Amino acid sequence: MIRKLIVTAALVLAAPVAAHAADCSVDLEGNDAMKFNKSAIEVPKSCKDFTINLKHTGKMARNVMGHNVVVSATSDMSGVNSDGVKAGLPNDYIKPDDARVIAHSKVIGGGETTSVKIPVAKLGAGPYSFFCSFPGHAALMKGTLTVK
Ligand code: ZN
């Protein structure tokens, strides 16, 4: 009940900002060269939910060059990633019910798209990161996610 009130209050406060049409989504691309096309994502505080639309612009299969997008606190990224690798492809390289994961998409292959919705109320001061948890990818496929 308290949580609901806080969310409602935040929405009321955010309303004038939202009227300026904050962009509550971003398009992110991953390719066969193991790269995202963005290294930073900004989330407007006025958004209730923020959606990351992920497109795999390559041709390789999801079990070879699969990509997902995972959001966590930057300090949790390494642990989320190593547990995710152990969880394997059937779990989209995310440990089931990992409380450190704020949001994650499924793993997609070349030509596919997916999206993930982040409840902005779950984000605090950060810092947060987004990354791909496919084995070996997070070293290159990562960036910062900042609430503004
Ligand atoms: Zn990847």
Side-chain angles (χ1 to χ4, degrees), residues 47-122:
C47 297
K48 181 176 179 287
D49 295 302
F50 185 82
T51 304
I52 301 175
N53 299 306
L54 176 64
K55 181 176 186 179
H56 191 318
T57 58
K59 291 194 165 67
M60 293 169 79
R62 68 194 280 272
N63 61 330
V64 180
M65 182 54 73
H67 300 313
N68 65 1
V69 59
V70 185
V71 176
S72 76
T74 301
S75 57
D76 287 335
M77 183 180 150
S78 170
V80 168
N81 190 50
S82 56
D83 286 346
V85 168
K86 285 179 216 152
L89 185 56
N91 291 307
D92 291 305
Y93 292 111
I94 291 293
K95 185 175 93 173
D97 302 320
D98 190 335
R100 297 167 298 182
V101 173
I102 293 163
H104 77 91
S105 75
K106 61 179 186 171
V107 173
I108 56 171
E112 296 179 323
T113 57
T114 187
S115 68
V116 58
K117 198 181 268 192
I118 306 165
V120 177
K122 277 176 89 173

Side-chain angles (χ1 to χ4, degrees), residues 31 34-36 56 65-68 132-135 137-138 141:
N31 62 21
M34 212 196 288
K35 293 250 174 70
F36 280 140
H56 191 318
M65 182 54 73
H67 300 313
N68 65 1
C132 173
S133 66
F134 191 96
H137 287 200
M141 302 187 78

